Amino acid sequence: MKSPNTLTIRRPDDWHVHLRDGIILNTITAHTARCFQRAIIMPNLVPPVTTRALAMQYRKRIAESLPDDSNFTPLMTCYLTDETDPQEIQLGFNEGIFAAVKFYPAGATTNSASGVSSVSKISGVLEVMQDLGMPLLVHGEVTDIDIDIFDREEIYIDRVLIPMLSDFPALKVVFEHITTSQAVDYVRSQGSRLGATITAHHLLIERNDMFKGGIRPHLYCLPVAKRHAHRQALLEAATSGDNSFFLGTDSAPHSIVEKESACGCAGIFSAPAAVELYAHAFDQVNSLDKLEAFASLNGPAFYGLPANKETITLVRKDWMVPLSFQVDEAVEILPFMAGETLRWRVLP
Ligand code: NCD
Ligand code: ZN
């Protein structure tokens, strides 16, 4: 069957994005606000967003960085540390400041040095969150340097997730940016208390792409892309209609200088074409009819929020992802699939 040339869906939300701060924030928020109504804002700033006061100040800076006509809503998260006070989480949730809490294992990824050293340190916080029905967002990778980087997500399931979900049987958890078939299977086995976000880049690239003709630092992110069979499992999950899986871009800009370095930063900047990239991936497996559930319905349902009322329309129209974005004289950022042609475009 020939697929149609336009697609109208409820306005989507991004359930995992890095907007950064300062001059980068001011340049990039508009990309996320172009198509998304709401987004879960990652708290891994320097210093991290660990309190209500810091979250409110950051939310204000985000609001100030938005175009005047935007009605985009940032949903703030609290960066969990061994020292987080359960009461701060409870107040933050009840006061509508924190939508969720982000659990970075210490040392797992960019700006995660002050993350959690062991689940036993945060049991008071998890108790409170379980009672509140407040989602815990986990960066699901073990950090042991002797564990192969391609195995870190799978091992995290056994070592951290299974015991934590059993100790806190009513805790709502999002397994962020999943990359493996093991994560897909585990999420499917846990019913509605465990959700998972899937990025556009993990639907489109596999680990070989990082080494195509040479090393490609702009395709390096964490969790790192895995082999073909895992990408297939992610595509299958995202397009299955299963409401445990929803959109989270993990758009994570770094300057070209930071990426093209002897020790390049992890992170892929997908915000400028986010919805189009997902449409591209869904179209490749003839599943555009499943895009709305994944992008616009499953996430709000998990978070207990209404789906957006407005819609967006995508048209089948070739266009080129910009080659780069200039933040200021010194800082330039390369978007995912820079210079490549995408087949779908969201109408302004
Ligand atoms: C993220 C970043 O740069 O902040 N990087 C990434 O590769 N995804 C951090 C993260 O989400 O792991
Ligand atoms: Zn992230």
Side-chain angles (χ1 to χ4, degrees), residues 16 18 20 44 104 109-110 139 177 221-222 250 252 254 266-267:
H16 182 131
H18 300 265
R20 309 301 194 209
N44 61 333
Y104 288 106
T109 184
T110 310
H139 181 109
H177 41 51
C221 65
L222 288 171
D250 195 18
H254 293 277

Side-chain angles (χ1 to χ4, degrees), residues 207-221:
R207 64 190 198 180
N208 274 351
D209 293 304
M210 280 188 296
F211 307 104
K212 216 180 230 166
I215 191 153
R216 298 192 175 254
H218 296 284
L219 300 184
Y220 172 58
C221 65

Side-chain angles (χ1 to χ4, degrees), residues 205-273:
I205 58 165
E206 13 197 278
R207 64 190 198 180
N208 274 351
D209 293 304
M210 280 188 296
F211 307 104
K212 216 180 230 166
I215 191 153
R216 298 192 175 254
H218 296 284
L219 300 184
Y220 172 58
C221 65
L222 288 171
V224 71
K226 308 296 190 296
R227 63 167 71 237
H228 178 75
H230 294 295
R231 184 168 75 89
Q232 292 305 114
L234 297 175
L235 272 168
E236 208 280 312
T239 61
S240 66
D242 183 332
N243 58 13
S244 296
F245 301 102
F246 39 90
L247 185 158
T249 61
D250 195 18
S251 177
H254 293 277
S255 70
I256 291 180
V257 172
E258 285 171 324
K259 294 288 292 175
E260 297 177 6
S261 145
C263 187
C265 291
I268 290 180
F269 179 45
S270 59

